[in-house]
Amino acid sequence: MTTRRRRGQPRLPFLLGILATAGMALFLLPVLGLFSRAPWTRLPALLGSDIVTDAIRLSTVTSLAATALSFAVGVPLAWVLARVDFVGRSLVRGTVALPLILPPVVGGAALLFAFGRRGLVGAPLEQATGLVLPFSAWGVVVANTFVAMPFLVITVEGALRTMDRRYEEAAASLGAGRWTVLRRVTLPTITPSLVAGLVLCWARAFGEFGATITFAGNLQGRTQTLPLAVFVALERDRDTAVAISLVMVLISLFVLVSLRERWRGTL
Amino acid sequence: MSGGLKAALDVRRSESFRLDVRLSVPAGRTTVLLGPNGAGKSTAVAALAGTVPLDAGHIELGGVILDDPANGTHVPTESRQVGVVFQDYLLFPHLSVLENVAFGPRSRGIRRTEARGRAWEWIERLKLDGLESHRPRDLSGGEAQRVALARTLAAEPRLLLLDEPLAALDVATRSQVRRTLAEHLGQFAGPRILITHDPAEASLFADEINVIEHGRVTQRGSVDDIRLQPRTRYAAEFGGLNFMRGNARDGRVYVGKHVLHVAEHEVAGPVLVTIRPRAISVHLNPPEGSYRNTWSTVVARIERLGHRVRLLTEAPLLLAVEVTAEASVELGLAPGSEIWLALKATEIGVQADSAAPGHIS
């Protein structure tokens, strides 16, 4: 690798450079490995198969739905955690962060006990509305949200805690009610963190595997998202697995890089 | 619509700090809260704005009770119509100047176009046209504070709170914004409260000064009351400068009938004159030398300040003069002593008195 040294930029300490390169290699080499194994000529045919197109459609829809759901309930949750002092707040905060550490398979199992057909909420939910979450696309959305929303909640809560609340007081002194303050001052002020949280949330939902397969199963066209399709393909058809992986890498890279550049340093 | 403010503010912020202040400000008058850092001035502003609850006391504005903890009355900040201008402006960074100024009208449910129309009026009044589409980060300090003032006034408050509005500005900008402030303060019909450290600012704007220390009012009175009869060390420091209003022309300043020769030849019209008490020398006979200003007067009072002595003099100029204790003994000074004072032209501070009536530029 060549390094461009701009004028005024400090010289890179040798040891630091070695370690940083090792760190980079850990991320770059697997991607390169993927590219080296890619069946470039057969790629269009592989990606055009029913299994893959179904998975792309399902992954796109469910990961976006999970992100939207996370926004709708996660931002209010972050607001409550940051602003309302209630008994058991640290317990709630810990529980919200749990999916970050918990093996997703355990999360999926826990979801089954809560929202499964004989689960705590699942049974009454089915009786009342006829909605069955496990083994449905809704189940995928719930599993994705469960695993991905903590990223949004934690990012937004941090931003709400560190923002200068006097802007909100200034808005109130100008006659703005709480809802107006939230809509016109609080949310715009934390927009960079909000966007970062949404991107992280979406990325995590897009790549979700363990909780989805445990809670929602692996039914092509209904619950088989891209990661699940890769898992299945690895057993039978390695080329398809590589092709799907490439698609995931490219989509994720595009979103992460473009949104980060777009929102970095704004406001 | 407009009415006076009557407030008894009792706020216990911690075990060790309690704010206990009574204020009464008639409509159209300016009360200055003057005091050191941590004295409770900002707590008073927060209590009046409704962001800090009262532990006891009451706030009444124009006959409407805003706070009365004894009866559980607390009007929330957004319904008080109490406008605040902050030291660091607190302009919304994501909104344009126009949208910042329109924020108050919009928040009261006025439609966007109508709200923008009202914002425009204030933008023109504060001579901010051309900046309306700028973001706050692109404004200079002086521009930002004018936008902040426009934003506050456009919300049509019934009480105006100015929390050290000029403190963050550099000296050159400060006098310009001070002029703008004086002009619009004069047109604001309701009661106004100005918080400041700056003696010049206090004496320019104040109808009444409240010196606040340790959460209490230690002295209340006119600028001259505080200056000539300071009751605490802090008030004495405030009174460390002599302030007078005068009229300048060709290197002369007319203070009443008395004429002072000054080094400043550029300024004309109403001016604020400042003289350090130690810059004035005291003599028993007409002084000789290069002094441009000499006059005779009578000692009204004498106060000891450690190793120094403060004399208060009678007509033609009511001044505080400081000499060493030794000099005071040597000269045999006592109330009623006839003395001569001498003062160099270069020791007299002269600045345009923008708050004076008829001086709107």
Side-chain angles (χ1 to χ4, degrees):
Chain A
M1 272 192 113
T2 58
T3 51
R4 275 173 302 162
R5 184 136 37 94
R6 287 181 213 125
R7 221 180 306 172
Q9 201 165 326
R11 223 185 136 84
L12 187 66
F14 186 67
L15 182 62
L16 208 64
I18 298 282
L19 292 172
T21 307
M24 255 189 281
L26 185 63
F27 297 107
L28 284 176
L29 288 177
V31 176
L32 287 177
L34 210 54
F35 274 84
S36 73
R37 278 295 314 272
W40 296 106
T41 48
R42 290 177 56 218
L43 213 53
L46 288 173
L47 293 178
S49 72
D50 280 355
I51 294 186
V52 179
T53 51
D54 278 356
I56 288 179
R57 186 176 44 76
L58 188 70
S59 264
T60 308
V61 171
T62 53
S63 65
L64 287 177
T67 308
L69 186 60
S70 296
F71 178 75
V73 298
V75 172
L77 176 58
W79 193 89
V80 168
L81 286 175
R83 295 290 168 79
V84 186
D85 200 3
F86 60 93
V87 181
R89 176 162 69 167
S90 45
L91 190 66
V92 172
R93 189 179 289 134
T95 313
V96 169
L98 209 52
L100 294 177
I101 319 156
L102 218 55
V105 180
V106 176
L111 283 173
L112 272 179
F113 300 137
F115 300 106
R117 297 193 79 153
R118 283 191 290 277
L120 216 53
V121 185
L125 185 72
E126 186 184 351
Q127 271 180 355
T129 64
L131 186 68
V132 181
L133 288 177
F135 307 104
S136 74
W138 286 109
V140 178
V141 173
V142 170
N144 281 354
T145 307
F146 174 78
V147 176
M149 192 165 77
F151 287 92
L152 178 67
V153 175
I154 285 172
T155 315
V156 170
E157 193 205 337
L160 286 171
R161 283 175 171 282
T162 51
M163 82 170 270
D164 189 348
R165 295 203 55 189
R166 295 184 313 138
Y167 285 100
E168 298 175 320
E169 292 175 3
S173 78
L174 293 166
R178 283 183 195 191
W179 184 248
T180 309
V181 171
L182 181 70
R183 195 171 53 81
R184 295 203 63 206
V185 177
T186 313
L187 287 182
T189 304
I190 61 161
T191 295
S193 301
L194 184 62
V195 171
L198 284 171
V199 170
L200 281 175
C201 174
W202 171 83
R204 183 68 187 85
F206 189 63
E208 216 301 301
F209 176 80
T212 309
I213 201 165
T214 314
F215 181 60
N218 187 9
L219 309 168
Q220 187 199 328
R222 268 174 69 190
T223 69
Q224 191 180 77
T225 56
L226 282 169
L228 271 58
V230 173
F231 179 69
V232 172
L234 271 174
E235 303 273 294
R236 297 190 304 228
D237 175 7
R238 209 150 263 243
D239 280 354
T240 304
V242 174
I244 301 173
S245 302
L246 272 180
V247 169
M248 292 199 68
V249 166
L250 291 177
I251 294 179
S252 305
L253 265 182
F254 172 75
V255 171
L256 291 176
V257 173
S258 61
L259 283 178
R260 197 180 138 69
E261 288 304 309
R262 168 80 178 78
W263 287 100
R264 194 177 54 186
T266 56
L267 294 176
Chain B
M1 177 69 185
S2 60
L5 170 76
K6 286 193 180 67
L9 310 175
D10 190 343
V11 182
R12 271 153 259 195
R13 288 219 95 161
S14 65
E15 288 293 311
S16 56
F17 183 80
R18 177 179 172 191
L19 176 76
D20 187 5
V21 164
R22 283 172 184 277
L23 291 171
S24 176
V25 188
R29 310 279 282 179
T30 304
T31 286
V32 164
L33 305 187
L34 186 77
N37 281 326
K41 307 184 303 281
S42 293
T43 304
V45 165
L48 289 167
T51 52
V52 165
L54 292 188
D55 291 300
H58 64 268
I59 299 173
E60 185 190 319
L61 177 59
V64 178
I65 305 284
L66 295 181
D67 267 294
D68 186 1
N71 290 327
T73 307
H74 173 75
V75 176
T77 303
E78 62 265 29
S79 310
R80 292 189 168 218
Q81 288 178 271
V82 171
V84 191
V85 175
F86 303 89
Q87 177 181 339
D88 47 353
Y89 334 124
L90 293 182
L91 297 174
F92 304 124
H94 57 285
L95 296 179
S96 69
V97 165
L98 183 66
E99 286 297 333
N100 263 284
V101 180
F103 193 94
R106 289 277 314 269
S107 296
R108 290 214 317 274
I110 294 170
R111 281 179 308 105
R112 184 189 296 243
T113 43
E114 162 83 14
R116 283 191 177 161
R118 293 195 189 185
W120 251 116
E121 288 173 25
W122 284 102
I123 280 177
E124 284 176 346
R125 266 186 236 180
L126 282 150
K127 302 186 178 69
L128 291 162
D129 18 348
L131 297 175
E132 65 276 1
S133 55
H134 284 49
R135 290 293 163 97
R137 63 166 172 266
D138 299 324
L139 301 175
S140 70
E143 288 165 349
Q145 197 52 294
R146 271 151 61 212
V147 174
L149 185 61
R151 180 179 72 170
T152 300
L153 291 173
E156 297 178 4
R158 297 189 299 139
L159 165 66
L160 192 55
L161 304 175
L162 303 132
D163 192 351
E164 306 209 28
L166 306 177
L169 304 172
D170 60 64
V171 176
T173 316
R174 195 175 293 180
S175 66
Q176 176 212 338
V177 177
R178 189 188 286 142
R179 193 178 312 145
T180 311
L181 203 58
E183 182 184 335
H184 291 277
L185 223 54
Q187 290 169 18
F188 180 75
R192 318 135 189 173
I193 291 177
L194 171 70
I195 287 187
T196 184
H197 279 113
D198 180 1
E201 216 170 290
S203 50
L204 275 174
F205 291 118
D207 294 305
E208 182 187 87
I209 292 181
N210 286 253
V211 180
I212 296 189
E213 293 169 89
H214 315 298
R216 286 165 192 279
V217 175
T218 50
Q219 189 168 4
R220 171 176 289 154
S222 70
V223 176
D224 277 343
D225 291 342
I226 311 279
R227 183 169 65 84
L228 299 173
Q229 292 164 295
R231 285 206 218 115
T232 68
R233 184 185 294 265
Y234 183 83
E237 276 169 27
F238 162 76
L241 278 179
N242 289 295
F243 289 95
M244 287 160 289
R245 287 201 158 101
N247 252 295
R249 203 171 63 225
D250 301 329
R252 291 194 191 90
V253 176
Y254 298 83
V255 180
K257 284 177 188 160
H258 192 79
V259 179
L260 287 169
H261 296 268
V262 298
E264 171 66 71
H265 286 254
E266 301 298 317
V267 179
V271 288
L272 186 75
V273 177
T274 53
I275 301 170
R276 286 185 306 111
R278 294 186 192 183
I280 305 167
S281 60
V282 180
H283 309 261
L284 292 179
N285 300 305
E288 292 165 13
S290 62
Y291 298 111
R292 296 285 310 281
N293 297 289
T294 58
W295 68 94
S296 66
T297 183
V298 173
V299 176
R301 258 196 10 248
I302 294 190
E303 290 166 1
R304 281 208 66 139
L305 300 165
H307 295 298
R308 302 192 70 85
V309 169
R310 177 186 286 248
L311 314 175
L312 300 168
T313 68
E314 290 185 355
L317 298 175
L318 304 176
L319 289 176
V321 179
E322 263 180 53
V323 294
T324 60
E326 294 82 15
S328 170
V329 173
E330 223 169 86
L331 295 169
L333 297 179
S337 297
E338 290 184 17
I339 52 170
W340 282 82
L341 298 180
L343 179 61
K344 290 180 179 173
T346 50
E347 294 283 3
I348 303 175
V350 179
Q351 51 183 316
D353 179 4
S354 39
H359 183 92
I360 292 169
S361 53

